[in-house]
């Protein structure tokens, strides 16, 4: 196996971000959306509380709140701006729900749970490179493209000699062993296609 395969980066989690069950996908922290949402809510709430406190202190309300109150009192529900604001609120709400209920980190493949206190994940691109290195060791293979998914691995190889069926059989055998050696919790299905190199002229 080549040096690139030996240095495949592995993501390990032992405490904070570990999922409760082995084989589950890793959950993204999503710090940026959380920070943006918190900043918007904090800023809006602080501005509104300041204006309410000013009114309680017998000072006039801010112009933006008076204008907003007048607009809400006069605009009908079928108004274009009202519908646009409602649609924007729905889109933002759906986006936040998707972020809350989906794990994210699609580029990290969970590995087999061999230690009770440690979970490991393998970068999907690195796994594809490792399989590509294994495929290039097969006799007759000139070039290989590996598309590594979470549930499928699609391999397209170009052969410049040997029978295509023989090359395909060897690739399937070598790559099946390579996938097993990756130690993934859910080994992906393998699809191999082999074509002959294009003749020049």
């Amino acid at each position: 196996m080549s040096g690139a395969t030996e240095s495949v980066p592995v993501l390990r989690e032992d405490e904070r971000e570990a999922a409760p069950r082995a084989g589950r996908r890793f959950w993204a922290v999503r710090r940026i959306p959380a920070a943006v949402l918190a900043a918007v809510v904090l800023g809006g709430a602080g501005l509104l509380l300041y204006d309410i406190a000013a009114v309680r202190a017998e000072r006039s309300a801010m112009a933006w709140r008076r204008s907003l109150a007048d607009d809400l009192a006069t605009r009908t529900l079928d108004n274009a701006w009202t519908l646009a604001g409602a649609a924007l609120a729905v889109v933002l709400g759906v986006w936040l729900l998707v972020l809350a209920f989906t794990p994210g980190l699609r580029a990290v493949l969970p590995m087999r749970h061999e230690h009770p206190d440690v979970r490991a994940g393998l970068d999907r691109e690195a796994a594809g490179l490792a399989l590509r290195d294994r495929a290039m060791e097969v006799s007759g293979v000139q070039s290989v493209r590996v598309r590594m998914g979470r549930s499928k691995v699609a391999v397209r190889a170009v052969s410049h000699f040997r029978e295509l069926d023989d090359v395909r059989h060897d690739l399937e055998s070598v790559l099946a062993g390579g996938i097993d050696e990756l130690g993934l919790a859910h080994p992906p299905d393998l699809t191999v296609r082999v074509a002959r190199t294009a003749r020049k002229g």
Side-chain angles (χ1 to χ4, degrees):
M1 189 176 296
S2 65
T5 305
E6 296 174 356
S7 61
V8 170
V10 174
L11 174 66
R12 294 188 178 275
E13 295 183 345
D14 54 2
E15 294 178 353
R16 185 177 56 183
E17 298 174 13
R21 297 181 183 179
R24 292 292 186 93
R25 286 174 57 189
F26 289 80
W27 282 76
V29 180
R30 295 190 173 105
R31 292 186 177 91
I32 294 178
V36 171
L37 179 62
V40 170
V41 172
L42 182 62
L47 189 62
L48 182 60
L49 288 175
Y50 173 81
D51 192 49
I52 293 175
V55 172
R56 292 281 186 176
E58 298 182 354
R59 298 175 62 180
S60 60
M62 292 183 179
W64 67 268
R65 194 157 74 94
R66 293 197 303 268
S67 176
L68 180 61
D70 293 339
D71 286 343
L72 292 176
T74 57
R75 291 184 186 274
T76 58
L77 294 178
D78 59 352
N79 182 269
W81 286 104
T82 304
L83 295 176
L88 179 61
V90 170
V91 170
L92 290 176
V94 171
W95 178 61
L96 292 174
L97 287 175
V98 170
L99 291 180
F101 289 103
T102 55
L105 289 182
R106 299 176 61 85
V108 179
L109 303 173
M111 300 179 69
R112 285 194 290 265
H113 193 63
E114 298 180 351
H115 192 280
D117 298 325
V118 178
R119 289 190 67 235
L122 185 62
D123 182 78
R124 192 165 65 180
E125 183 178 356
L129 290 175
L131 294 180
R132 178 183 176 277
D133 289 344
R134 292 292 298 270
M136 289 298 297
E137 296 175 358
V138 175
S139 177
V141 173
Q142 183 179 29
S143 62
V144 181
R145 293 181 60 185
V146 178
R147 185 177 180 181
M148 188 78 186
R150 291 188 295 112
S151 59
K152 295 181 180 179
V153 179
V155 178
R156 294 177 179 270
V158 175
S159 175
H160 56 300
F161 70 92
R162 296 183 65 199
E163 292 294 331
L164 297 184
D165 289 340
D166 294 339
V167 176
R168 182 184 301 106
H169 180 271
D170 290 348
L171 279 173
E172 290 175 348
S173 177
V174 168
L175 292 176
I179 291 174
D180 183 66
E181 290 179 3
L182 292 177
L184 300 178
H186 305 288
D189 296 330
L190 175 63
T191 301
V192 178
R193 294 183 180 180
V194 183
R196 183 69 67 194
T197 181
R199 295 179 179 271
K200 296 184 179 180

